[in-house]
Amino acid sequence: LRLQHISTSRHFSSVCPARLLAAMYVKIALLALAAATGADAFAATSGHMGLRSTSMQANNMSPASCDSAAVSRRSFFSKGAAAGVVTTGLVQSAFAATPTIDAPAPDFELPSNRDKNIGLKDLKGKWTVLYFYPGDFTSGCTIEAQNFEKNSKQIRDLGAEIVGVSVDSAEKHLDFAKKYGLSFPLLSDKGGKVSESYGTALKLGPIGTFSNRQTYLIDPSGNLKYVFTDVQSKIKVHAEEVVAKLSELTKA
């Protein structure tokens, strides 16, 4: 794993402090990931969003590029750094403990793209496919959402509803759902409190909080029955995996 050296002498005065700090946070996160999984393994499972495609060249940043946004979530994803850290599902030590299977799922009530709050109480009586994802309009999340939509009839035929959750706003969810014709609700977990209660939140300092790509199957009584933690490596077939597992659980 090769990381760009950040000079603290000659170039320091020309580097925006906020961007320098953000770059350091990114590198710490990447080092943690490399230590846990090995950079080569990560590059193989993450495709075009692997470590090798990422370079935070802080010493080449000009003062003119220093704005109040520093490093946005969207740019972080598009450059590939966060996409690997928060979507591989491999760095479990960075997250809170996953809720206990066969115990009540953590309660929540969040704003949605349907102009109303949706909570766990509203979902009882049916199985729920509660899936957390990093962000609207990113490539992996678009693939995942479209595949859930493609399999939505099969999932509903099994007595289940699909519900997506990310830290994006309800307004952005509305745009995302309209663009891709999504028939299921998307919930806005700003601040990541619900993501944290489900063990998916990853906090990256000034860059913000993201939801790891994980999926939870909750039974009609509100009990957690199954958790998919390695969604990223199987993202193109994940919805089919969910259908298969739901079929198994509903027959049990």
Side-chain angles (χ1 to χ4, degrees):
L1 176 65
R2 297 181 60 191
L3 295 176
Q4 178 78 19
H5 173 67
I6 298 178
S7 171
T8 56
S9 55
R10 186 177 64 173
H11 296 291
F12 185 82
S13 61
S14 66
V15 177
C16 171
R19 282 181 175 262
L20 179 60
L21 182 59
M24 292 174 68
Y25 268 101
V26 171
K27 293 183 181 187
I28 290 169
L30 293 176
L31 282 169
L33 179 64
T37 68
D40 289 339
F42 172 56
T45 58
S46 300
H48 69 282
M49 296 186 292
L51 288 176
R52 289 172 180 156
S53 66
T54 303
S55 177
M56 296 296 292
Q57 305 209 2
N59 58 344
N60 289 331
M61 294 177 182
S62 65
S65 67
C66 297
D67 52 40
S68 59
V71 178
S72 70
R73 279 197 294 267
R74 187 166 181 80
S75 66
F76 192 50
F77 278 120
S78 66
K79 293 181 187 300
V85 174
V86 303
T87 64
T88 58
L90 296 174
V91 191
Q92 294 302 319
S93 60
F95 306 94
T98 301
T100 305
I101 298 296
D102 290 326
D107 196 19
F108 64 85
E109 183 173 339
L110 294 170
S112 76
N113 62 322
R114 295 190 170 176
D115 199 28
K116 65 177 182 180
N117 285 4
I118 294 177
L120 188 60
K121 66 181 186 298
D122 302 309
L123 304 171
K124 287 185 177 179
K126 289 186 175 182
W127 282 84
T128 300
V129 178
L130 186 68
Y131 84 96
F132 290 80
Y133 64 99
D136 295 335
F137 298 104
T138 57
S139 60
C141 299
T142 300
I143 291 169
E144 185 176 20
Q146 288 179 310
N147 285 344
F148 269 125
E149 183 60 38
K150 179 181 175 182
N151 287 273
S152 61
K153 184 180 185 305
Q154 284 181 277
I155 290 172
R156 291 186 180 114
D157 285 347
L158 289 167
E161 244 338 304
I162 306 163
V163 179
V165 183
S166 80
V167 299
D168 292 307
S169 68
E171 292 76 15
K172 190 172 182 181
H173 282 335
L174 182 62
D175 292 339
F176 184 55
K178 281 183 176 180
K179 180 170 182 177
Y180 295 105
L182 306 181
S183 61
F184 49 85
L186 301 175
L187 310 188
S188 173
D189 184 26
K190 277 193 171 182
K193 294 296 184 183
V194 174
S195 300
E196 190 170 350
S197 71
Y198 275 82
T200 74
L202 176 62
K203 298 179 180 180
L204 294 177
I207 296 165
T209 298
F210 305 93
S211 298
N212 187 36
R213 201 185 302 283
Q214 294 186 176
T215 300
Y216 300 77
L217 303 184
I218 301 171
D219 73 12
S221 298
N223 296 312
L224 182 62
K225 302 303 288 186
Y226 195 83
V227 182
F228 294 89
T229 57
D230 182 18
V231 176
Q232 179 65 23
S233 68
K234 304 173 184 178
I235 193 167
K236 292 184 178 180
V237 296
H238 176 54
E240 287 81 359
E241 281 189 316
V242 169
V243 170
K245 180 55 67 173
L246 270 174
S247 297
E248 176 187 322
L249 291 171
T250 54
K251 289 176 182 176

